[in-house]
Amino acid sequence: MIVLSIFTLVVVLSSVWSVLALWFQLPWPTPARIAVAGCWILLALASLWLAWSGRHWSGAGTYVLMFAVLMLWWGRLEPSHQRQWADDLAHITTGTVEGDQVTLEHVRNFTWRSRDDYDELWETRSYDLSRLRSVDLITSEWGMPGIAHVLVSFGFDTGEFITFTVEIRRERNESFSAIGGFFKQFELAVLATDENDAVRVRTNVREEQAHIYRVSMPESAMRDLFMAYVNEANQLASEARFYHTVTANCTIIVYNMMRRIVDGLPLDHRLLLSARLPSYVKDVGGLQDSPLEELKERGRFSERARNIDQAEEFSEVIRRGVPGWEGKL
């Protein structure tokens, strides 16, 4: 009885996963996917009926064979760069390095009027890493409790800022799904963008709630982090990878890069609850020495961004009053 109960639990849990995998990955119309999912459920129930009817090996063998075929198919699903991408994800940023000079190809600098109305612009930009002076952590929340998108913005003593963002690479007419992110629905992309693009689209177009935090780190570590983004982007451009809601997202990718720069950086549940990432960064000594609630309140910039809209002073305005930026703009 105990063995049968365990077998039943395994079948139920693995069938939930299997049905979702089929739903998100079969490239067929909805009625066909419903039919396949229904067939899986019926066969799983049949295997349980056989097992509970005394034909233990027939029931177990039927389900093991089903699941083995499914896993064979699942293992053959490969990420690809050859899809019909959404306009804002048509490219992945790449970079070349010569000494202190970094040249970035496919820097996105769209002008957004609405989610569907925008001017496309992909640029080539060059930066002198010897002039890199700041790193800012930006979080943007869109209503999912505990979850935020994480962006990292690098500032130079020329007054320039460049923002790196790890994105799901959506196809045309495809929208984000946290559940789909567990089932190879999306590829990953790393983009370098103008702040008027990746930051402004979240506050002014998508009406998300964003916060900015000046990160405390040596200039050598800033440079290492910048190069980590460039290397990550180059690797993704040469070999596609799947996004994963937990193990390969905008927070974990950055954590893995930082772990190669900072020894002993601990794992923490706040890496999954990305809206709490600033708390984690503060605890490891990465934020200004002020209470976190003060840093969060003074770093809240969505309203300032909406008021300034597309002005050239966008980067300056969103940093006004932010701890660590006083008197430096």
Side-chain angles (χ1 to χ4, degrees), residues 71-105:
M71 293 309 296
L72 180 63
W73 163 76
W74 182 257
R76 295 171 65 89
L77 296 175
E78 297 290 341
S80 173
H81 286 316
Q82 308 305 315
R83 305 192 194 279
Q84 296 297 314
W85 303 113
D87 291 337
D88 57 321
L89 295 156
H91 302 286
I92 293 176
T93 300
T94 57
T96 55
V97 184
E98 293 184 11
D100 288 333
Q101 299 296 316
V102 177
T103 300
L104 300 178
E105 301 283 348

Side-chain angles (χ1 to χ4, degrees), residues 17-26 33 36-37 40 70 73:
W17 184 92
S18 300
V19 167
L20 288 171
L22 291 166
W23 179 264
F24 282 106
Q25 279 300 325
L26 288 177
R33 286 184 291 157
V36 172
W40 181 278
L70 180 75
W73 163 76

Side-chain angles (χ1 to χ4, degrees), residues 197-217:
D197 179 340
V199 178
R200 181 183 164 275
V201 71
R202 292 183 173 276
T203 55
N204 296 31
V205 175
R206 302 177 189 173
E207 298 185 346
E208 299 178 8
Q209 295 301 314
H211 299 80
I212 186 169
Y213 304 85
R214 178 79 180 264
V215 179
S216 301
M217 60 194 309

Side-chain angles (χ1 to χ4, degrees), residues 3-140:
V3 173
L4 282 174
S5 297
I6 293 173
F7 175 66
T8 300
L9 180 62
V10 170
V11 169
V12 169
L13 293 178
S14 61
S15 288
V16 170
W17 184 92
S18 300
V19 167
L20 288 171
L22 291 166
W23 179 264
F24 282 106
Q25 279 300 325
L26 288 177
W28 299 338
T30 298
R33 286 184 291 157
I34 292 175
V36 172
C39 286
W40 181 278
I41 293 170
L42 289 174
L43 288 170
L45 290 173
S47 71
L48 288 175
W49 179 79
L50 288 171
W52 283 92
S53 297
R55 286 168 282 184
H56 305 150
W57 290 111
S58 295
T62 297
Y63 192 77
V64 167
L65 179 60
M66 289 168 52
F67 197 73
V69 171
L70 180 75
M71 293 309 296
L72 180 63
W73 163 76
W74 182 257
R76 295 171 65 89
L77 296 175
E78 297 290 341
S80 173
H81 286 316
Q82 308 305 315
R83 305 192 194 279
Q84 296 297 314
W85 303 113
D87 291 337
D88 57 321
L89 295 156
H91 302 286
I92 293 176
T93 300
T94 57
T96 55
V97 184
E98 293 184 11
D100 288 333
Q101 299 296 316
V102 177
T103 300
L104 300 178
E105 301 283 348
H106 297 128
V107 176
R108 200 181 72 193
N109 190 14
F110 282 27
T111 299
W112 297 86
R113 289 176 291 275
S114 72
R115 292 173 183 265
D116 303 312
D117 182 16
Y118 45 81
D119 296 327
E120 299 181 40
L121 180 60
W122 296 90
E123 300 177 328
T124 298
R125 295 188 180 185
S126 295
Y127 297 93
D128 185 345
L129 292 184
S130 69
R131 308 189 73 169
L132 179 59
R133 295 292 182 268
S134 68
V135 172
D136 291 302
L137 171 68
I138 300 172
T139 62
S140 189

